[in-house]
Amino acid sequence: DGGITQSPKYLFRKEGQNVTLSCEQNLNHDAMYWYRQDPGQGLRLIYYSQIVNDFQKGDIAEGYSVSREKKESFPLTVTSAQKNPTAFYLCASRPGTRETGELFFGEGSRLTVL
Amino acid sequence: GDSVTQMEGPVTLSEEAFLTINCTYTATGYPSLFWYVQYPGEGLQLLLKATKADDKGSNKGFEATYRKETTSFHLEKGSVQVSDSAVYFCALSGGSNYKLTFGKGTLLTVNP
């Protein structure tokens, strides 16, 4: 079955540590996105990538980094510079640039900083 | 910039009640509009969408009509079920990068 796989589902981190969240898709979609979800704040865009080897900052990119070396993979690193990293992180993808804009989401990764 | 405002929850209804969740938007041009649903501990699933003015999106008994004159996309269902309990997000897509802008979400709880 085609879809988006995020791992791990739950992750605990000590303050000062970097952590990388995995996102893999086998939908052959060109664009991929990372959103952060906090209670009462909806979803906020962290980074997005429309093609391989290219990505852009979203609304809350500070303290995060990404790479897009392969079409199917878009890992997110939460660095120690992120002041409040505890959140639910959602990866999404979209077909080519001529689509209506619908995103397909993974199941999410919940990061807790101890 | 683009923005979405949706009615704040939580909303609590009895089974078979009528549901309305209001959503209004601000955007340049002609965005596409979406409703997503999120069940506890899961990612978001597309519920319905509309891509131009006066379009009606529908799925699983839910409906929403793209109203350009009032910049609205209200979600409705005639008879809710316990299984509809979830968080509902209104969203719009605009611009060349097709990133989605989301509302803050509305928690719906349906009691038997």
Side-chain angles (χ1 to χ4, degrees):
Chain A
D1 288 330
I4 300 173
T5 301
Q6 290 187 240
S7 62
K9 192 171 177 65
Y10 299 96
L11 186 60
F12 298 89
R13 188 194 93 176
K14 294 182 180 180
E15 283 193 27
Q17 290 181 334
N18 292 355
V19 62
T20 297
L21 307 180
S22 171
C23 178
E24 302 279 333
Q25 55 100 358
N26 60 5
L27 301 168
N28 199 33
H29 286 175
D30 290 313
M32 297 186 74
Y33 302 78
W34 275 105
Y35 283 87
R36 170 179 170 143
Q37 184 179 11
D38 296 282
Q41 295 196 49
L43 276 71
R44 293 180 290 169
L45 182 64
I46 305 173
Y47 268 98
Y48 63 100
S49 167
Q50 293 183 274
I51 57 173
V52 175
N53 292 322
D54 187 44
F55 49 83
Q56 287 79 40
K57 293 182 179 180
D59 301 317
I60 56 165
E62 185 175 352
Y64 299 97
S65 66
V66 294
S67 63
R68 187 85 188 277
E69 297 177 0
K70 298 184 297 183
K71 185 175 184 178
E72 60 269 23
S73 178
F74 191 43
L76 173 73
T77 296
V78 185
T79 75
S80 57
Q82 169 50 234
K83 299 302 181 187
N84 185 20
T86 295
F88 191 53
Y89 291 89
L90 287 159
C91 180
S93 70
R94 179 183 54 78
T97 57
R98 296 183 184 272
E99 301 300 321
T100 58
E102 172 188 346
L103 296 187
F104 297 77
F105 283 86
E107 293 291 300
S109 293
R110 185 167 297 283
L111 172 62
T112 303
V113 174
L114 305 174
Chain B
D2 296 345
S3 67
V4 175
T5 302
Q6 64 180 100
M7 99 189 240
E8 295 197 12
V11 175
T12 303
L13 297 173
S14 297
E15 206 165 22
E16 300 183 1
F18 184 85
L19 169 71
T20 299
I21 301 177
N22 290 337
C23 172
T24 57
Y25 68 90
T26 302
T28 55
Y30 302 93
S32 296
L33 301 175
F34 307 86
W35 277 101
Y36 280 84
V37 59
Q38 184 180 36
Y39 299 102
E42 298 183 7
L44 275 68
Q45 303 174 27
L46 180 67
L47 181 59
L48 53 85
K49 66 181 181 183
T51 59
K52 60 182 187 295
D54 299 325
D55 267 3
K56 177 185 283 188
S58 62
N59 186 28
K60 299 181 182 180
F62 291 90
E63 293 183 340
T65 301
Y66 190 149
R67 301 286 188 199
K68 193 173 190 311
E69 63 276 15
T70 55
T71 63
S72 65
F73 193 55
H74 305 320
L75 182 68
E76 297 182 336
K77 187 175 186 183
S79 176
V80 294
Q81 306 300 312
V82 172
S83 58
D84 294 327
S85 298
V87 180
Y88 292 82
F89 291 93
C90 184
L92 69 82
S93 172
S96 59
N97 57 38
Y98 289 104
K99 63 178 182 177
L100 259 63
T101 300
F102 286 86
K104 293 187 177 182
T106 302
L107 173 63
L108 169 67
T109 301
V110 180
N111 295 318

